[in-house]
Amino acid sequence: MLLILALMLGGCCLLLLPAAFRLWAVLRVAAALLMGGFCAVGVLALLAPEPAPLALPLGPPWAAALVGLDAVSAWFLAPLGALGCFSALLLRPATRTELMAFPALLLGLVLSAVAMDGYTLVLGLLVAAVAAWAALPERRAARLMLGFALTGGLCLMAGFALMSAGAGSLGFAALRASPPEGWVAGAVLVLALLGAASLGGLAPLHGWMAGALSAAPAQVAPLLGGALPALALLAALRVVLELTGPAQPSWWGVAPLMLGGFAVLIGGFRALVEDGLRGVLAGAVTAGLGLFALGLGLALLFRGSDMDVPAALALSGALLAGVHLMLGGGLLALALSVVQMQAGPVAGARLDALGGLSHNMPLAAGAALVAGLSVAALPPFAGFAALWLLLQGLLAAWRTQQALYQFAALGTLTMLGLGMGLLAMAMVRLWGMVFLGRPRSPRVAGAEDAPGPARAALLFPSLALLGLGGLPSLAMALMQGAVEQLMGGPAPASILGLAAGDAGARYLVLPILAVMAGLMALLWWVARRRAARGATAGPAEAPLWQGGFQAPPPHMPFGDPQSQVSAEGFAAPVLAVLGGPLGGYQSRVVAAPPGSLATARHESRWRDPFLKGLGRLTSLRHQASLLAERGRLPSPRAALRVGFAAVVVLLVILALVERP
């Protein structure tokens, strides 16, 4: 544990050293290697966890802060270390605020991952949130994110305070020994879910995510969009699965189950309708966090029904979805950050300003393709393995023999299917608009691929996603300790893939890969056989096929952007059906008046209904403050009269209570 803190603090000190630009690359690589050292320590801790906590020389007045490396901490610490290492490779000389915010953000995330008491867990999440707030140059988005984070932190602190009242301590060991009961347990569940949803951006409390990610620097976006949401929901997972005891009822799982399915649906829709790169990333993160919450709800539901095998199956899917959120969401954020850095901050912010980058940026295009396929849960990547486990858990919900749970699982399954379909369509739109077609500006046409160390930051997460998806049995073996610690049962696994129990379905990766490779080879051979041969265009003739583009006019050497599909046009069929119910989308065609030669005009508007609701709450708060201002006492004499009347009323109440 001390080795992890020493490695990370050493890397942070290297990043804060004043250095010339030529030395910056060396310092950045050295810091990344030191920060990535605790990734290796986390992997080793998965094989031999150390549950004994370590007391730090800091903490609240009543006790020391406790940290440790149990199986759950190690499972999330390894991808966190890798993500911190790769984010440091993108770090460039910037303002001192950004340079100081990145180490503080990583320190807070590590502290929350290895926390062994409630104080340290909440402290780590709040330190990370405050560091992210300091790094955001857009102050409105920063204030919104900080408001949600502080609300989530207060909810988590209130939940730990309720549990510590019976245990006498905030340490996880004491809380496990004295789990809450009755209404206290129900209040802890509500507070933990509210705190994690507000801190991590789980729908419907995800209004801050798009603005914060759009304004985040390149090195902060992977941690803000991948690590912080996953570790916030890890806090809820620890509270409701580990610290409240195994005797909680099944209905505890209904709320996170339905919230998870709703988050997947809303995240997929948001990713499809957003026209900015980071907006699409925010939708993908919301959907990934929904998968994590969905698995948590299933695990609670099955554990309360004494169904150990489905509970372990659902928990394994939740843990794998959490790690995939960190690696998949982090890789997508890294690839999009490289695109923004190379194509320009203005052109790289919107989908309609990009195009054709696969020719100039093949490595970034490949990394974005891997991240998009994994986020869309397509085989053979890690996202599909997590989704397969969760689907098997949902299909097993009929065995609970309770109509409420069966209908909840059915509704969640419907939202999950629709949301993942929208998310897959969003990833197709993202990759096609950014990397295919023709460049839409000279800056985009001259963009170059990822420089120097950033190539490693794109390559290694891609290999990790492919490895976790191609070898899910290895992931299950590493997850074994975490599943046993939280649930008490073994993780589902088979030699070549995944298993849903002894008599359940099997996901065999290698046979599926062989079939997919055979089909791709057959399609390629058929296309080559049926392709026209010998057809060439003369010197004065136009090419036979220009990919659907018209010939560019002389004053537009990079082509006419109007000849390519727009981001809104790609999503138009979905917006026409789901835009109104889910997203407040409105469109109309304004026709020219009779006799006019002007063309018709299409107008559209999309406004996030959750931000609209947040605006209403802000308006209510403002109105309440105005009412309080109007009701202010006019003079000190009136204030004394009110205070004297309040004292008299309290004395009367005490007299009535104490009267025999």
Side-chain angles (χ1 to χ4, degrees), residues 574-618:
V574 175
L575 287 173
V577 178
L578 299 176
L582 291 181
Y585 176 78
Q586 298 176 356
S587 66
R588 63 172 182 167
V589 176
V590 181
S596 174
L597 299 179
T599 59
R601 186 175 71 256
H602 176 262
E603 295 180 352
S604 62
R605 184 180 66 174
W606 180 77
R607 186 178 181 185
D608 190 349
F610 300 100
L611 285 180
K612 185 178 179 181
L614 183 64
R616 290 177 179 173
L617 289 178
T618 306

Side-chain angles (χ1 to χ4, degrees), residues 492-640:
S494 64
I495 299 177
L496 299 178
L498 301 176
D502 296 334
R506 296 285 191 274
Y507 168 47
L508 303 179
V509 183
L510 295 182
I512 290 178
L513 286 179
V515 172
M516 292 175 61
L519 289 177
M520 292 297 294
L522 178 62
L523 289 175
W524 178 83
W525 179 79
V526 170
R528 293 282 296 177
R529 290 275 298 179
R530 296 178 63 88
R533 298 180 181 178
T536 58
E541 299 176 0
L544 293 177
W545 175 247
Q546 293 197 22
F549 300 107
Q550 63 185 17
H555 63 281
M556 292 183 178
F558 298 99
D560 186 0
Q562 299 299 325
S563 64
Q564 303 188 69
V565 66
S566 65
E568 184 180 357
F570 191 99
V574 175
L575 287 173
V577 178
L578 299 176
L582 291 181
Y585 176 78
Q586 298 176 356
S587 66
R588 63 172 182 167
V589 176
V590 181
S596 174
L597 299 179
T599 59
R601 186 175 71 256
H602 176 262
E603 295 180 352
S604 62
R605 184 180 66 174
W606 180 77
R607 186 178 181 185
D608 190 349
F610 300 100
L611 285 180
K612 185 178 179 181
L614 183 64
R616 290 177 179 173
L617 289 178
T618 306
S619 177
L620 289 176
R621 186 195 64 181
H622 180 64
Q623 293 176 8
S625 64
L626 290 179
L627 290 176
E629 186 71 17
R630 292 172 185 171
R632 187 174 52 185
L633 296 175
S635 64
R637 182 176 298 177
L640 290 175

Side-chain angles (χ1 to χ4, degrees), residues 126-326:
L126 290 182
V127 166
V130 172
W133 165 79
L136 297 182
E138 176 59 43
R139 301 321 300 165
R140 183 178 181 275
R143 287 194 298 269
L144 185 62
M145 189 213 72
L146 186 62
F148 273 92
L150 293 179
T151 303
L154 288 175
C155 290
L156 288 177
M157 283 192 290
F160 279 113
L162 286 177
M163 289 191 293
S164 65
S169 173
L170 287 174
F172 288 170
L175 295 178
R176 284 191 213 98
S178 300
E181 298 177 356
W183 69 267
V184 176
V188 168
L189 171 68
V190 173
L191 290 171
L193 291 180
L194 281 176
S198 184
L199 261 167
L202 180 66
L205 302 180
H206 65 290
W208 61 269
M209 180 71 72
L213 284 178
S214 299
Q219 69 276 4
V220 173
L223 296 176
L224 184 60
L228 180 60
L231 293 177
L233 200 57
L234 172 64
L237 183 143
R238 275 196 179 276
V239 170
V240 301
L241 265 181
E242 182 180 6
L243 302 181
T244 55
Q248 303 304 335
S250 299
W251 61 262
W252 271 37
V254 175
L257 178 66
M258 300 295 290
L259 280 177
F262 179 72
V264 173
L265 177 59
I266 293 298
F269 178 78
R270 285 290 301 267
L272 184 60
V273 301
E274 288 282 354
D275 61 350
L277 289 180
R278 299 288 183 83
V280 178
L281 173 64
V285 170
T286 302
L289 196 61
L291 290 176
F292 195 175
L294 190 153
L296 171 61
L298 277 176
L300 287 169
L301 191 150
F302 287 133
R303 188 182 67 173
S305 302
D306 295 328
M307 300 170 63
D308 296 336
V309 174
L313 186 78
L315 180 59
S316 301
L319 293 176
L320 190 56
V323 169
H324 174 260
L325 174 61
M326 300 175 72

Side-chain angles (χ1 to χ4, degrees), residues 325-350:
L325 174 61
M326 300 175 72
L327 292 178
L331 177 59
L332 188 59
L334 289 169
L336 298 183
S337 297
V338 169
V339 168
Q340 284 191 276
M341 288 190 299
Q342 299 302 104
V346 177
R350 296 182 62 249

Side-chain angles (χ1 to χ4, degrees), residues 472-486:
S473 57
L474 177 61
M476 294 300 106
L478 294 175
M479 194 194 299
Q480 184 74 34
V483 175
E484 290 182 353
Q485 177 181 334
L486 294 172

